Each structure stands twice: as structure tokens, then as C-alpha cells.
Amino acid sequence: MSVQSVPEVTFPREFPGIHYYDRMEEEAVLRVIRNKSPFRYYGASFLQEVNQLEQEFKTRLGRKYAQAVASGTSGLAAALAALEVGPGQEVLIPCFLWVSTVGTVVRAGAIPVLVDIDDSFNMCPRDLAAKITAKSTLIIPVHMCGVPVAMPAIMDIAKKQNLRVLEDCAQANGASLDGQAVGTFGDMAVFSFQMNKMITAGEGGIVVCDREALIDRTNAAHDLGVPWSGQMPDDSKGIYLWGAGSRMSELVAAVLRAQIGKLDQIVRHLRDCKRRIKEQLADLPGITWRRVDDPDGDCGAFLIALFENSEKATRFQQHAAPSGLAATRLTDYGLHIYYNIRALVRKCSNSPDGYPWTHPMNQESPSNYVKGTLPVADNLFERSVIIPIASCLTGKQESLFVDLFRKAARV
């Protein structure tokens, strides 16, 4: 069946925080520039923007410590260094993720072990338990597309198996499960402030935890190899690592401080839009939705629709996308899907020796990443379409979204 010619409708792009930029962000940038102090640890007229962001972010979550970093990816890398992840260890990660999560595990020298998902499109606790071996040391649940993982079940498994948990909250800032914020379940958590995230300064990230020893190692790993104390590096704590020079600048922090006060408003708007859209589409036959255990804690930034088979999902996408809905088959969702990450499937290395897969301590670990490895995920990906929801949809645009979805579903 040929795709019908439909006049294209332009919806706002899906960058949540960007749509809420105003004079607050402008003044934040100017404040730093006027004081000529863009560097994180000192300046001509030092404002301590990053220090204040860390205080505000950890207070919001109720965690004891926070370390701002240059990106979510660098935050993951610093957290893995803090947790002493390396060769001879297996790190359990979901197969629906972003490439940065698996990339940091590989660069740390550990072996990533893929865990299947369930109809929540998040890490399946049952499969997680089945994948644990004597070499397992860390679980990284990823709160994908704004929907929290079933963290109580994950934490129960981790406790029984004496495993640590690092929450990847990059796509779920502001989400919660039964009233508890994501980023407060695990030993550590990482958030991102990249362009596509709930609040943004274009880039940036933050690591949170409750143990001083972990935050000191995170601080050392993210920058110089030894932790900072005030405005100077401090090697008195006996921490000597190799740093990555991934400091957050005062300019980034200033923008984020303007954005953080808008986070609840952004999430509330997205969540309400998603709820209304799903309610208006509830009568469509042959379509179900991604399972969301706590709709009141969903960020609401994405809609994942499941069809009866791959053919129907393809047909929907082919008619929805030309009409203006940014519908994507999950099989085509780039580096979010494990078998689309060629460096992982081929077990590529940054060095010619094939590290970390060739490391003697890693040779007995499972490392199959080809398509077909995870049957539940593979089936769900084939039958699913993902559509972003903009954080500034008007009532008229919301109604148009529903109308276009219905038209594409009827074909």
C-alpha cells in the first residue's frame, strides 16, 4: 500500500527544557560574563555557580552529595571509577539504553552483560536475576524515555546478591516511582543536562550519592585524579586516580540553576499531555501502550505504541511520519537499541588488542550482542513505534496530534 500524500504539520521539537528558556537563562549567562568568572573553581569575581547548583540539586533529591560534570557520559565514567569497576567484572545493563551507558563500561575495562526488557521497556528484574554470575559487581538500570524502572525489585535483587546499583537517570530527571524520585534508589545516580533532556544547558551532568568516599573518588576521576578541596586540588585523602578533565563551567551551571526551578512545571505539562493523548486514543483496536507502573511519576516525554505485529507497526510509521508526527520504529531508533550499536555487536576496541574482551580476566564472561540475543526485546522492538511529546504543546496541537495518530492507525 502506498503512503498517502498528507500535508505536513510542524510540531515543536522534543527538546523539553529549551522551550522554557526566557530572560532567566539570559540573565544567568550575563551574570557570569559580567563577573568575568567562567571557571568552576575560582575566578576574578567568583560566584560559585557550580557549587550552588550541586547544593540545590542534592537538596531537591534529598541526597548527601553531588558532583557536577561536563556531561552525563563523563558522569557515568566518573561513577564507574568511583565504584572501582574494571577488568574481571561484569556490569549488567538493559538492552534498551543509550550508547554512552555501555560505552563507559567498555572503556572501564569491564564486560557489559545485556539484560532483557519487559513490556515496561525497562530492565526486566526476572532476566536480571538470571544473568547474575560470580563476576557480576554492578547493575545499571536505565530509566528509559522518562519512565522509571521497577527499582524496588532491582534493589531487592542487588541486596540479595551483594551488588551495587548505579542509576542512569539521564532521560528521567523529575520522574518518580510511588513518590520516590529516580536517582534516590541506588548507591549512585547520574543525570544529564544535554540538549534532549528535561532541563538543559546544551551539555552537562551531575552525579549524586550518599557516601563521602564515593563522591571524593568521583571528584578525582572527573577532573585531575585527586579531589578538589575548595579552590585547590587536595591529595591529603590518599586518592590518586587518572582524571578526565570533565569539569562543568560556571556558565553551564548558571543556566541550569535557572532551569532547575522550571523542572516541575516542564514535567507536569508533559505528563498531563501524555495522559490526555492516551485517554483520547484508548479506543483504538490493535494498539497497546508501554506499561507504566506509576503514571503520576512518568516524565511524559515519549509515547511508545505497541502493534499486533511488525507489519502494522511499519504501516503506521509510514503514514504517521509524513503527516508531521515524528514517529520512529524502535528497530530504527539508532544507538538506543543494542544491536544497532555496531561497536558492541562487533566487540570493537579503542586499541588493536581488542580490550576489554581480550583481557585474560574477561575471557570467560558472556559477550554475545548480536540481534536475536534477547527475544523479548527483539519482539517488542519489531512491534513498536516511539513518538516524542513536546513540552510546549498547546491544546490545539494536542488535538491535532490525536487526529493524526488516529488517521495513521486506521490505514
Side-chain angles (χ1 to χ4, degrees), residues 93 95 97 99 102-103 106 111-114 331 334-349 354 356-357 366-374 378 381:
I93 60 174
C95 57
L97 73 174
V99 62
V102 63
V106 171
I111 294 297
V113 175
L114 295 175
T331 51
L335 301 178
H336 293 94
I337 307 297
Y338 77 96
Y339 54 70
N340 288 341
I341 305 172
R342 294 185 181 181
L344 178 64
V345 173
R346 299 175 183 178
K347 291 183 273 193
C348 296
S349 175
W357 286 280
S367 57
N368 185 12
Y369 310 110
V370 300
K371 186 177 181 179
T373 301
L374 300 164
D378 292 347
F381 295 155

Side-chain angles (χ1 to χ4, degrees), residues 160-273:
K160 289 177 180 177
Q161 298 292 337
N162 194 31
L163 301 178
R164 294 161 299 177
V165 176
L166 168 62
E167 289 180 75
D168 184 336
C169 306
Q171 299 188 18
N173 194 0
S176 61
L177 183 64
D178 298 326
Q180 183 172 348
V182 301
T184 63
F185 292 89
D187 298 275
M188 303 184 78
V190 178
F191 293 80
S192 172
F193 305 121
Q194 185 265 345
M195 179 75 165
N196 297 333
K197 304 308 186 289
M198 304 304 293
I199 58 173
T200 183
E203 269 296 0
I206 201 162
V207 183
V208 295
C209 67
D210 292 331
R211 289 180 54 199
E212 184 177 3
L214 287 179
I215 208 66
D216 284 342
R217 285 182 61 87
T218 300
N219 182 289
H222 102 287
D223 191 12
L224 299 173
V226 295
W228 285 82
S229 177
Q231 296 179 316
M232 293 292 293
D234 178 12
D235 64 359
S236 65
K237 294 188 177 183
I239 297 174
Y240 308 104
L241 305 175
W242 294 107
S246 57
R247 295 177 295 268
M248 177 181 285
S249 76
E250 291 283 276
L251 285 164
V252 168
V255 172
L256 290 171
R257 291 186 63 214
Q259 284 262 288
I260 197 171
K262 304 173 183 180
L263 178 57
D264 290 338
Q265 178 187 1
I266 294 169
V267 172
R268 184 166 55 251
H269 185 92
L270 282 165
R271 187 181 296 148
D272 289 347
C273 281

Side-chain angles (χ1 to χ4, degrees), residues 213-405:
L214 287 179
I215 208 66
D216 284 342
R217 285 182 61 87
T218 300
N219 182 289
H222 102 287
D223 191 12
L224 299 173
V226 295
W228 285 82
S229 177
Q231 296 179 316
M232 293 292 293
D234 178 12
D235 64 359
S236 65
K237 294 188 177 183
I239 297 174
Y240 308 104
L241 305 175
W242 294 107
S246 57
R247 295 177 295 268
M248 177 181 285
S249 76
E250 291 283 276
L251 285 164
V252 168
V255 172
L256 290 171
R257 291 186 63 214
Q259 284 262 288
I260 197 171
K262 304 173 183 180
L263 178 57
D264 290 338
Q265 178 187 1
I266 294 169
V267 172
R268 184 166 55 251
H269 185 92
L270 282 165
R271 187 181 296 148
D272 289 347
C273 281
K274 182 175 179 179
R275 174 181 52 78
R276 288 190 295 265
I277 288 169
K278 287 177 68 175
E279 286 174 352
Q280 293 176 75
L281 296 173
D283 62 333
L284 287 176
I287 298 176
T288 56
W289 308 107
R290 170 191 194 177
R291 194 188 87 228
V292 179
D293 293 326
D294 180 11
D296 291 336
D298 178 8
C299 277
F302 291 90
L303 193 67
I304 297 181
L306 288 84
F307 296 80
E308 294 174 342
N309 52 52
S310 175
E311 292 73 21
K312 291 184 178 181
T314 299
R315 192 157 60 242
F316 173 88
Q317 188 275 334
Q318 289 176 340
H319 286 81
S323 74
L325 289 182
T328 304
R329 289 282 311 284
L330 272 183
T331 51
D332 301 323
Y333 203 40
L335 301 178
H336 293 94
I337 307 297
Y338 77 96
Y339 54 70
N340 288 341
I341 305 172
R342 294 185 181 181
L344 178 64
V345 173
R346 299 175 183 178
K347 291 183 273 193
C348 296
S349 175
N350 284 353
S351 59
D353 64 354
Y355 178 86
W357 286 280
T358 56
H359 192 287
M361 296 177 68
N362 290 335
Q363 301 226 348
E364 295 181 3
S365 292
S367 57
N368 185 12
Y369 310 110
V370 300
K371 186 177 181 179
T373 301
L374 300 164
V376 176
D378 292 347
N379 177 267
L380 289 170
F381 295 155
E382 289 287 340
R383 298 190 295 114
S384 301
V385 172
I386 184 167
I387 307 174
I389 298 173
S391 62
C392 60
L393 282 188
T394 63
K396 184 177 180 180
Q397 289 170 331
E398 198 176 294
S399 297
L400 184 57
F401 185 109
V402 171
D403 290 342
L404 293 174
F405 193 105

